[in-house]
Amino acid sequence: MAISKEDVLEYISGLSVLELSELVKEFEEKFGVSAQPVAVAGVAGAAVEAADEQTEFDVVITDAGAKKINVIKVVRALTGLGLKEAKSAAEETPSTIKEGISKEDAEAAKAELEAAGATVEIK
């Protein structure tokens, strides 16, 4: 029995943000690709418009909150840092967790960190 695109989309829509993030990482490793958007040179007018819009965002923890252990776990999952570095990033606020990422990735990271109890800003 073949699996349809709709089946795959239905399955993915049921995943948590963390599970989806891990799935994307596995796709990147297996197929040697990156989920980061690729900038393509276009018409000069489009380039001017794109220059006006912010395309790269930073995710910054401003407060780890009461559940620091949960926040440290999410920081480790997002960054691949070791326990000591993730603990420092969560405790020494404000701390930039991700830099120069797309708005969608920044929103996803913010959602994960806030779900863990942190106060987060996207800059």
Side-chain angles (χ1 to χ4, degrees):
M1 180 173 130
I3 298 174
S4 68
K5 290 180 195 176
E6 290 79 23
D7 293 336
V8 173
L9 291 174
E10 184 64 32
Y11 173 77
I12 290 173
S13 68
L15 295 176
S16 71
V17 175
L18 183 56
E19 291 170 328
L20 184 57
S21 173
E22 291 170 353
L23 180 63
V24 169
K25 287 178 186 176
E26 289 177 24
F27 270 105
E28 290 175 339
E29 290 174 9
K30 178 165 181 121
F31 298 108
V33 296
S34 174
Q36 297 296 323
V38 176
V40 177
V43 180
V48 171
E49 288 179 23
D52 293 341
E53 292 182 36
Q54 183 178 355
T55 58
E56 293 185 347
F57 298 86
D58 297 341
V59 179
V60 180
I61 294 179
T62 56
D63 182 33
K67 299 179 181 179
K68 287 184 186 174
I69 293 173
N70 293 337
V71 174
I72 292 168
K73 288 179 183 178
V74 174
V75 169
R76 289 188 72 195
L78 289 172
T79 63
L81 292 174
L83 180 59
K84 183 177 180 181
E85 294 83 5
K87 183 176 185 270
S88 294
E91 291 178 342
E92 298 169 8
T93 56
S95 178
T96 303
I97 301 303
K98 295 287 249 179
E99 293 181 321
I101 61 175
S102 70
K103 183 169 184 156
E104 293 81 18
D105 291 342
E107 291 291 339
K110 179 180 178 184
E112 285 183 60
L113 288 163
E114 287 179 341
T119 303
V120 182
E121 291 181 358
I122 296 178
K123 296 183 178 185

